[in-house]
Amino acid sequence: MWDWNFAVEVFPEIASALRITISATFAGFVLALVLGLFLTMMRRSDKVIISKGTQGFIEFIRNTPLLVQLYFIFYVFPEFGLSLSPFAAGVIGLGLHYSTYLSEVYRSGIDAVPQGQWEVGTALNFKKGQVWRKIIIPQAIPPVIPVLGNYLLTMFKETPLLSAITLVEILQTAKIIGSRSFRYLEAFTIVGILFLVLSYPSSLLIQRLDVILNRR
Amino acid sequence: MNAVSIIELITSLLSGLRVTVTVAFFGIVLAFFLSFAAGFGRLSKYKIVRVVATVYAEVIRGTSLLVQLFWIYFALPIIGIRLSAMMAGILALGLNGGAYGSEVVRSSINSIPVGQTEASIALNLTPRRRMWRIILPQAFVQMLPGFGNLQIEILKGTALVSLITLGDLTYRANVLNASTMQTTTIFVILLAMYYLIAWPLTRGVEALEKKMKVGRY
């Protein structure tokens, strides 16, 4: 049954692995933000082969498991001479997988900008880059920030998958403790509680942010 | 070492395909029922039902699927509940999908204009008939895209059962990889197989959506 002494004893060890979990989450998120933007732009390309190709790529990534993609990056890339550390492979996997989701978010933000705003750019004789930077992006991105925040949380909750490619984050730490002591209940429960304690308040915060940003 | 042909690799992965499809199927069915149970629970007029449904959804959505799976498979036996890897996988995927699905059900029902409820009260329909004949048929159409995504999430989630040693596609691929070392071929086939299973799911939901939208706005 539940052993409080044991739980207290292993808590610091698990909590200290949180650092790896959180840095993988943020690194992956930054990568996803950048890659997602590229995918959005490529999907809007005038060249049908690029836009259709990007769309196919997005659909493929979204319909296959992140775990398999992680294995692919970690085991197949070295065959082509690109060996990655578990952390780097994990960040690339997370970033790539969620960039396809974020590109949809950007797209919805951009589609919500009224057509007239593009025409304003033409009327002001702006260059294409200027229209994007000065007119479209400032209107398209703020409304979707809460959605981006939700994906940050989703990514945080997906990081335990990185344990499968031998990254020692919190779940892997708990598993090591479990196999060492044959007591899984406390270790896994602590991991669950840590996730809940970090993600539930964050999701409430994002809901508040949504109300503030989308108040018109 | 002799290279194993692609045909042989695919045939040895097929036994894993059966496990993946089984887990996905039962996981989706369980998630579907739990979505409605928890979705209606969150709209219940009884506070206790609302609290239970909300706590269920928030706790599951606040933790991670893999942690839940490990908890069910490795931690539950300590309090005397021992499940097979298959059962643990289906249960974890179903519980997880149900929590996300409850949000789909709840928001779709809430999105039906209040005039519909008022009209059915005016027509003297019982609450049950109001829900069953008026609200739900309209809400269900709106739930379809959400459920479509959920199915794909559950299918992708089945790959995690390989980590509790259930012999699904991913597990077989890892075993095969260790014995044949044809890493690139195996993982390309694996990704393609998942994509091929997901394909009819997405198209099926799209077709259903189209069919149910006929004659509606």
Side-chain angles (χ1 to χ4, degrees), chain B residues 2-90:
Chain B
N2 288 324
V4 186
S5 76
I6 291 180
I7 306 290
E8 279 175 277
L9 289 176
I10 292 178
T11 15
S12 25
L13 282 173
L14 282 181
S15 64
L17 183 68
R18 222 187 50 231
V19 175
T20 294
V21 171
T22 312
V23 174
F25 177 77
F26 287 106
I28 288 171
V29 170
L30 181 59
F32 189 73
F33 281 109
L34 284 174
S35 301
F36 276 96
F40 281 126
R42 291 176 75 174
L43 296 165
S44 167
K45 57 182 171 187
Y46 303 109
K47 189 167 183 202
I48 176 81
V49 179
R50 284 203 307 271
V51 170
V52 170
T54 309
V55 168
Y56 156 67
E58 294 296 347
V59 166
I60 298 279
R61 296 198 307 155
T63 53
S64 132
L65 173 59
L66 187 56
V67 176
Q68 288 153 18
L69 186 62
F70 276 17
W71 200 85
I72 290 172
Y73 190 66
F74 293 111
L76 273 189
I78 298 173
I79 33 181
I81 304 168
R82 197 171 293 277
L83 295 171
S84 68
M86 176 76 96
M87 287 304 287
I90 292 171

Side-chain angles (χ1 to χ4, degrees), chain A residues 129-180:
Chain A
Q130 280 178 308
V131 177
W132 275 107
R133 270 200 321 278
K134 298 198 166 148
I135 300 176
I136 305 301
I137 301 278
Q139 294 183 81
I141 300 303
V144 299
I145 287 175
V147 188
L148 296 175
N150 278 328
Y151 276 112
L152 175 64
L153 277 184
T154 308
M155 289 175 75
F156 172 58
K157 285 176 278 176
E158 291 276 31
T159 51
L161 290 194
L162 307 194
S163 65
I165 52 167
T166 71
L167 182 69
V168 184
E169 39 66 70
I170 54 175
L171 186 64
Q172 188 66 12
T173 311
K175 214 178 164 193
I176 292 168
I177 291 169
S179 57
R180 189 172 70 203

Side-chain angles (χ1 to χ4, degrees), chain A residues 62 101 157 161 189 192 199, chain B residues 61-62 64 71 153 156 160:
Chain A
R62 282 174 68 124
Y101 287 83
K157 285 176 278 176
L161 290 194
T189 308
S199 69
Chain B
R61 296 198 307 155
S64 132
W71 200 85
E153 292 303 322
K156 292 197 291 180
L160 304 198

